[in-house]
Amino acid sequence: MPNLPVNGPWLNNLFTHRRNSPWHTFGKSSDIHAPGPSGLWVLLDEDAKGLNDAAFAFGMESPEWFDAPGTYHDGGCGFAFADGHSETHRWMNRAEKQSNRFVITDPSDQKDWEWMQQRTSARQ
């Protein structure tokens, strides 16, 4: 398994998050416990209009899109998980997601953000 992210400065929505403070980061496979390997995404389809670096930024504390997940698959996004399985998740709001600190106000986008939040990290 490849090395997983160990910092995630965006996890607190302020770009000041540091390793495991307060959101869990995963430096090696044995660090994965919440969410477990079958519930932790490692790779995903990012929206092409928002490609800006080699990482996907996701804030855990407030509903906004830093980077936008893709909607290429019938309004869904492809995910690869830490246990090796992959799946396409269809968003409730199948419209293209807006990125660059886009604050989420649409209730269906809020549910989509919550789905990602549950599969991104957990509090230490």
Side-chain angles (χ1 to χ4, degrees), residues 17-35:
H17 183 270
R18 293 296 170 251
R19 183 175 185 243
N20 295 324
S21 179
W23 298 100
H24 191 69
T25 54
F26 311 98
K28 53 188 175 183
S29 299
S30 61
D31 290 341
I32 300 171
H33 55 80

Side-chain angles (χ1 to χ4, degrees), residues 26 32-42 79-85 87 115-121:
F26 311 98
I32 300 171
H33 55 80
S38 65
L40 176 69
W41 67 267
V42 179
F79 287 86
F81 290 83
D83 70 348
H85 90 277
E87 63 183 64
W115 186 91
M116 289 266 320
Q117 182 191 43
Q118 294 168 2
R119 289 157 181 82
T120 299
S121 186

Side-chain angles (χ1 to χ4, degrees), residues 69-95:
T71 54
Y72 308 119
H73 307 287
D74 194 20
C77 181
F79 287 86
F81 290 83
D83 70 348
H85 90 277
S86 62
E87 63 183 64
T88 300
H89 175 75
R90 273 201 197 144
W91 303 116
M92 288 186 70
N93 180 351
R94 295 188 184 174

Side-chain angles (χ1 to χ4, degrees), residues 41-67:
W41 67 267
V42 179
L43 301 169
L44 71 137
D45 294 329
E46 186 172 349
D47 185 89
K49 292 179 183 171
L51 290 176
N52 56 1
D53 57 22
F56 183 85
F58 184 84
M60 296 290 292
E61 296 188 19
S62 62
E64 55 188 315
W65 297 118
F66 290 111
D67 291 329

